[in-house]
Amino acid sequence: MNHKPEENITPEKSHSEPPKPEKDKSNNDKFSQQVEDMATRKLKAQRHINKTVWTGFGMMGLIGWSVVIPTVLGAVLGMWLDKHYPGEHSRTLMLLISGLCLGCFNAWHWVDKEDKEIHRGDELD
Protein backbone atom coordinates (compact mmCIF):
# COMPACT_ATOMS: atom_id res chain seq x y z
CA MET A 1 0.00 0.00 0.00
CA ASN A 2 1.17 3.32 -0.86
CA HIS A 3 0.93 5.64 1.97
CA LYS A 4 1.35 9.20 1.25
CA PRO A 5 2.72 11.21 3.96
CA GLU A 6 -0.09 12.87 5.77
CA GLU A 7 -0.35 16.44 4.91
CA ASN A 8 -1.39 19.02 7.36
CA ILE A 9 -5.01 19.30 6.38
CA THR A 10 -6.73 22.41 7.51
CA PRO A 11 -10.31 23.09 6.67
CA GLU A 12 -10.61 25.69 4.04
CA LYS A 13 -12.65 28.71 4.81
CA SER A 14 -15.74 28.76 2.71
CA HIS A 15 -16.84 31.84 0.91
CA SER A 16 -20.19 31.92 2.68
CA GLU A 17 -19.53 32.60 6.31
CA PRO A 18 -22.24 32.02 8.86
CA PRO A 19 -23.96 35.20 10.03
CA LYS A 20 -22.28 37.06 12.77
CA PRO A 21 -23.91 37.08 16.20
CA GLU A 22 -24.56 40.84 15.98
CA LYS A 23 -26.56 40.35 12.82
CA ASP A 24 -28.50 37.45 14.37
CA LYS A 25 -29.22 39.61 17.39
CA SER A 26 -30.61 42.35 15.18
CA ASN A 27 -32.84 39.87 13.35
CA ASN A 28 -33.94 38.35 16.65
CA ASP A 29 -34.78 41.79 18.00
CA LYS A 30 -36.91 42.55 14.95
CA PHE A 31 -38.67 39.20 15.20
CA SER A 32 -39.23 39.65 18.94
CA GLN A 33 -40.70 43.10 18.33
CA GLN A 34 -43.06 41.72 15.66
CA VAL A 35 -44.24 38.96 17.99
CA GLU A 36 -44.69 41.45 20.83
CA ASP A 37 -46.72 43.78 18.57
CA MET A 38 -48.96 40.92 17.46
CA ALA A 39 -49.51 39.80 21.06
CA THR A 40 -50.32 43.36 22.12
CA ARG A 41 -52.90 43.73 19.32
CA LYS A 42 -54.47 40.40 20.25
CA LEU A 43 -54.73 41.33 23.94
CA LYS A 44 -56.21 44.71 23.02
CA ALA A 45 -58.80 43.04 20.80
CA GLN A 46 -59.71 40.61 23.59
CA ARG A 47 -60.20 43.47 26.06
CA HIS A 48 -62.49 45.34 23.67
CA ILE A 49 -64.55 42.32 22.65
CA ASN A 50 -67.27 43.13 25.18
CA LYS A 51 -68.01 46.37 23.30
CA THR A 52 -70.62 44.94 20.97
CA VAL A 53 -73.47 46.47 19.01
CA TRP A 54 -75.85 45.66 21.84
CA THR A 55 -73.66 47.57 24.26
CA GLY A 56 -73.93 50.58 21.94
CA PHE A 57 -77.72 50.27 21.80
CA GLY A 58 -77.82 49.96 25.58
CA MET A 59 -75.76 53.12 25.94
CA MET A 60 -78.07 54.97 23.55
CA GLY A 61 -81.01 53.80 25.63
CA LEU A 62 -79.33 54.91 28.84
CA ILE A 63 -78.60 58.33 27.40
CA GLY A 64 -82.15 58.60 26.03
CA TRP A 65 -83.71 57.76 29.37
CA SER A 66 -81.37 60.15 31.17
CA VAL A 67 -82.89 62.96 29.05
CA VAL A 68 -86.49 61.76 28.98
CA ILE A 69 -87.03 61.12 32.70
CA PRO A 70 -86.09 64.62 33.97
CA THR A 71 -88.02 66.21 31.10
CA VAL A 72 -91.20 64.25 31.82
CA LEU A 73 -90.87 64.76 35.58
CA GLY A 74 -90.47 68.52 35.03
CA ALA A 75 -93.54 68.63 32.79
CA VAL A 76 -95.66 66.59 35.24
CA LEU A 77 -94.59 68.74 38.20
CA GLY A 78 -95.30 71.89 36.16
CA MET A 79 -98.79 70.67 35.23
CA TRP A 80 -99.51 69.86 38.87
CA LEU A 81 -98.31 73.29 39.98
CA ASP A 82 -100.34 75.04 37.23
CA LYS A 83 -103.45 73.10 38.22
CA HIS A 84 -103.17 73.77 41.97
CA TYR A 85 -101.52 77.18 41.90
CA PRO A 86 -102.58 79.00 38.73
CA GLY A 87 -100.45 81.97 37.86
CA GLU A 88 -99.54 84.40 35.15
CA HIS A 89 -96.70 82.24 33.71
CA SER A 90 -96.76 78.59 32.70
CA ARG A 91 -94.81 76.55 35.20
CA THR A 92 -95.28 73.51 32.96
CA LEU A 93 -93.22 75.06 30.19
CA MET A 94 -90.62 76.41 32.61
CA LEU A 95 -90.12 73.05 34.37
CA LEU A 96 -90.25 71.12 31.08
CA ILE A 97 -87.34 73.21 29.74
CA SER A 98 -85.52 72.95 33.06
CA GLY A 99 -85.95 69.13 33.02
CA LEU A 100 -84.74 69.01 29.43
CA CYS A 101 -81.62 71.04 30.31
CA LEU A 102 -80.95 68.84 33.33
CA GLY A 103 -81.40 65.69 31.20
CA CYS A 104 -79.05 66.98 28.50
CA PHE A 105 -76.43 67.80 31.12
CA ASN A 106 -76.87 64.30 32.55
CA ALA A 107 -76.50 62.72 29.06
CA TRP A 108 -73.40 64.82 28.39
CA HIS A 109 -71.95 63.57 31.68
CA TRP A 110 -72.50 59.91 30.65
CA VAL A 111 -71.03 60.42 27.17
CA ASP A 112 -68.00 62.28 28.55
CA LYS A 113 -67.41 59.53 31.11
CA GLU A 114 -67.51 56.81 28.43
CA ASP A 115 -65.26 58.84 26.12
CA LYS A 116 -62.65 59.26 28.86
CA GLU A 117 -62.81 55.54 29.65
CA ILE A 118 -62.30 54.63 25.99
CA HIS A 119 -59.34 56.99 25.60
CA ARG A 120 -57.83 55.86 28.90
CA GLY A 121 -58.05 52.26 27.65
CA ASP A 122 -56.33 53.24 24.41
CA GLU A 123 -53.50 54.95 26.28
CA LEU A 124 -52.91 51.83 28.38
CA ASP A 125 -52.60 49.70 25.24
Side-chain angles (χ1 to χ4, degrees), residues 4-107:
K4 292 185 180 177
E6 291 187 24
E7 297 176 13
N8 189 2
I9 301 174
T10 57
E12 293 181 19
K13 291 186 178 181
S14 65
H15 293 292
S16 59
E17 293 183 13
K20 295 180 180 180
E22 295 86 25
K23 195 172 187 179
D24 282 344
K25 186 176 180 183
S26 174
N27 288 338
N28 286 339
D29 288 344
K30 287 179 185 178
F31 180 71
S32 296
Q33 185 63 41
Q34 288 174 345
V35 170
E36 182 180 345
D37 291 344
M38 287 172 43
T40 302
R41 283 193 303 268
K42 188 172 184 176
L43 289 172
K44 183 178 177 182
Q46 287 175 347
R47 277 195 298 271
H48 293 295
I49 200 157
N50 60 354
K51 306 262 185 201
T52 62
V53 173
W54 295 111
T55 306
F57 284 139
M59 184 56 67
M60 285 190 323
L62 177 68
I63 292 170
W65 283 111
S66 70
V67 173
V68 168
I69 290 174
T71 304
V72 170
L73 288 176
V76 168
L77 179 63
M79 289 181 352
W80 184 84
L81 286 173
D82 282 342
K83 182 178 179 181
H84 288 87
Y85 303 101
E88 189 177 309
H89 301 287
S90 172
R91 290 180 186 92
T92 303
L93 184 59
M94 179 183 65
L95 290 175
L96 180 124
I97 291 172
S98 298
L100 180 62
C101 290
L102 180 66
C104 288
F105 177 76
N106 194 18

